[in-house]
């Protein structure tokens, strides 16, 4: 079985934690254990979020006044390398290191995507309302509420095509556990001269994970986060977890738009494109989710 495992940004930096390298490494250790448990029995491709990491790099970028700041596509690449390195090191404690690879991955987006006029992708740390307003004014940021706090938001265009998909497929066919399309991938567009140019954005990693899983013909897409399932009646006393469902029933469920909303859309897209099984649940329950014993399992009506 070929399984695409998409680790949420909290796999390396959880909400409220300081942006600290030692904490990222400790969290990577936990994530690697969950990935390795499945990779011992199945072919696995890992992808991950980068919201906290790319936001951290942007802050460090702005703190250096000696050189102009690097664009978001470069920071996306840096964060993809950072997270991939930490995951690969920890995975190497459970799996043969020579059977692991991290691949910087470019993803085509449309530079005219309406998302560039409506930033929605959360990056960086959580601020209180006062600090968020100050930073929005001081740095010309767009900010939006995220849970109990506020965060910077940046454009999140639709992923259209993964440039290195043939390379990923080749690695998988040779038994390599690949970490790729990190943070949704590095957003690029044709430059009009036969090449590619970077685009100032951060692609939603859940939508890119669905594209990755569909492009590879994966048997399962697991979107792993810090919530054990999708809940109907979220935020109310009558909330209850949804275990087995199909896209037509899951899409109408009201969920938090900035966090769970993209995950619901991603698993529905994968299943509607012919994927046998999409699922959302807690990282710690990954093996149980794959067995259909935990999380929210989404299948086609014919599945």
């Amino acid at each position: 079985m070929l399984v695409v495992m998409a680790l949420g940004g909290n796999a390396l930096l959880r909400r409220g934690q300081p942006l600290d390298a030692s904490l990222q490494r400790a969290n990577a250790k936990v994530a690697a254990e969950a990935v390795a448990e499945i990779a011992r029995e199945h072919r696995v491709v890992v992808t991950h979020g980068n919201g906290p990491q790319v936001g951290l790099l942007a802050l460090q970028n702005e703190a250096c006044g000696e050189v102009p700041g690097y664009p978001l596509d470069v920071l996306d690449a840096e964060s993809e390398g950072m997270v991939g390195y930490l995951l690969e090191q920890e995975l190497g404690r459970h799996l043969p290191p020579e059977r692991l690879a991290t691949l910087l991955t470019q993803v085509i987006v449309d530079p005219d995507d309406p998302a560039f006029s409506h930033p929605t992708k959360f990056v960086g740390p959580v601020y209180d309302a006062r600090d968020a307003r100050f930073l929005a004014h001081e740095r010309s940021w767009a900010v939006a509420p995220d849970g109990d706090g506020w965060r910077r938001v940046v454009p999140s265009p639709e992923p259209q095509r993964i440039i290195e998909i043939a390379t990923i497929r080749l690695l998988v066919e040779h038994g390599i556990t690949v970490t790729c399309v990190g943070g949704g991938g590095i957003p690029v567009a044709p430059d009009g001269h036969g090449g590619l140019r970077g685009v100032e954005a951060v692609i939603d990693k859940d939508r890119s994970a669905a594209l990755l899983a569909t492009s590879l013909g994966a048997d399962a897409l697991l979107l792993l986060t810090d919530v054990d399932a999708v809940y109907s009646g979220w935020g109310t006393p009558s909330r209850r977890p949804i275990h087995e469902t199909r896209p037509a029933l899951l899409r109408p469920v009201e969920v938090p738009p900035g966090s769970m909303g993209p995950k619901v859309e991603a698993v529905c897209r994968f299943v509607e494109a012919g994927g046998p099984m999409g699922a959302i649940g807690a990282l710690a329950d990954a093996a149980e989710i794959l067995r259909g014993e935990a999380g929210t399992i989404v299948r086609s009506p014919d599945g």
Side-chain angles (χ1 to χ4, degrees), residues 231-240 254:
Y231 281 74
S232 62
W234 178 261
T236 71
S238 60
R239 73 171 196 161
R240 62 177 182 82
E254 293 188 12

Side-chain angles (χ1 to χ4, degrees), residues 4-69:
V4 172
M5 300 178 67
L7 311 180
N10 60 3
L12 292 184
L13 275 175
R14 296 167 188 162
R15 177 177 288 273
Q17 286 186 327
L19 303 176
D20 183 88
S22 62
L23 280 173
Q24 291 199 64
R25 190 175 293 277
N27 291 338
K29 180 179 181 180
V30 175
E33 290 170 355
V35 171
E37 185 176 2
I38 291 176
R40 291 189 188 100
E41 299 182 15
H42 305 283
R43 295 176 297 158
V44 168
V45 175
V46 181
T47 186
H48 57 80
N50 73 338
Q53 290 80 15
V54 77
L56 166 63
L57 292 171
L59 288 173
Q60 293 175 334
N61 205 22
E62 293 191 20
C64 179
E66 298 179 5
V67 295

Side-chain angles (χ1 to χ4, degrees), residues 12 49 117 124 135 147 196 200 209 248 268 274 282 295:
L12 292 184
S117 301
L135 290 167
L196 298 170
E200 186 86 342
C268 289

Side-chain angles (χ1 to χ4, degrees), residues 24 56 58 89 100 109 117 137 201-202 233 293:
Q24 291 199 64
L56 166 63
Q89 273 210 330
L100 303 172
V109 301
S117 301
H137 174 75
V202 176
E293 299 170 359

Side-chain angles (χ1 to χ4, degrees), residues 7-288:
L7 311 180
N10 60 3
L12 292 184
L13 275 175
R14 296 167 188 162
R15 177 177 288 273
Q17 286 186 327
L19 303 176
D20 183 88
S22 62
L23 280 173
Q24 291 199 64
R25 190 175 293 277
N27 291 338
K29 180 179 181 180
V30 175
E33 290 170 355
V35 171
E37 185 176 2
I38 291 176
R40 291 189 188 100
E41 299 182 15
H42 305 283
R43 295 176 297 158
V44 168
V45 175
V46 181
T47 186
H48 57 80
N50 73 338
Q53 290 80 15
V54 77
L56 166 63
L57 292 171
L59 288 173
Q60 293 175 334
N61 205 22
E62 293 191 20
C64 179
E66 298 179 5
V67 295
Y70 282 80
L72 276 173
D73 61 296
V74 175
L75 301 185
D76 288 330
E78 289 182 12
S79 66
E80 193 174 4
M82 176 201 306
V83 177
Y85 162 69
L86 293 172
L87 284 173
E88 188 170 326
Q89 273 210 330
E90 295 303 326
L91 281 169
R93 303 181 192 279
H94 306 276
L95 303 170
E98 65 274 12
R99 309 301 291 174
L100 303 172
T102 299
L103 184 68
L104 292 180
T105 318
Q106 301 172 94
V107 175
I108 293 283
V109 301
D110 181 354
D112 296 321
D113 192 304
F116 289 101
S117 301
H118 303 282
T120 58
K121 175 65 177 174
F122 292 113
V123 299
V126 178
Y127 301 100
D128 61 31
R130 180 180 176 182
D131 287 344
R133 285 194 297 268
F134 172 79
L135 290 167
H137 174 75
E138 183 76 10
R139 298 177 177 173
S140 299
W141 285 359
V143 297
D146 182 21
D148 296 331
W150 289 71
R151 294 176 72 190
R152 181 187 178 188
V153 287
V154 300
S156 182
E158 189 74 24
Q160 296 184 335
R161 182 167 60 89
I162 299 167
I163 294 294
E164 290 84 1
I165 192 65
T167 304
I168 298 167
R169 190 178 291 115
L170 183 65
L171 289 168
V172 171
E173 289 172 354
H174 283 78
I176 305 299
T177 298
V178 190
T179 299
C180 59
V181 197
I186 305 161
V188 296
D191 65 2
H193 302 285
L196 298 170
R197 61 176 178 85
V199 176
E200 186 86 342
V202 176
I203 305 171
D204 180 78
K205 77 102 179 40
D206 295 315
R207 292 181 177 181
S208 286
L211 177 62
L212 173 65
T214 301
S215 300
L216 290 173
D219 299 292
L221 169 63
L222 308 186
L223 301 183
L224 303 169
T225 181
D226 56 353
V227 178
D228 63 347
V230 181
Y231 281 74
S232 62
W234 178 261
T236 71
S238 60
R239 73 171 196 161
R240 62 177 182 82
I242 300 170
H243 182 52
E244 291 270 356
T245 188
R246 59 183 191 268
L249 297 178
L250 185 59
R251 269 206 174 92
V253 176
E254 293 188 12
V255 296
S259 54
M260 191 57 75
K263 291 177 173 54
V264 167
E265 177 63 23
V267 293
C268 289
R269 288 185 185 190
F270 174 65
V271 171
E272 288 168 343
M277 169 191 168
I280 301 171
L283 175 65
D285 299 335
E288 289 82 0

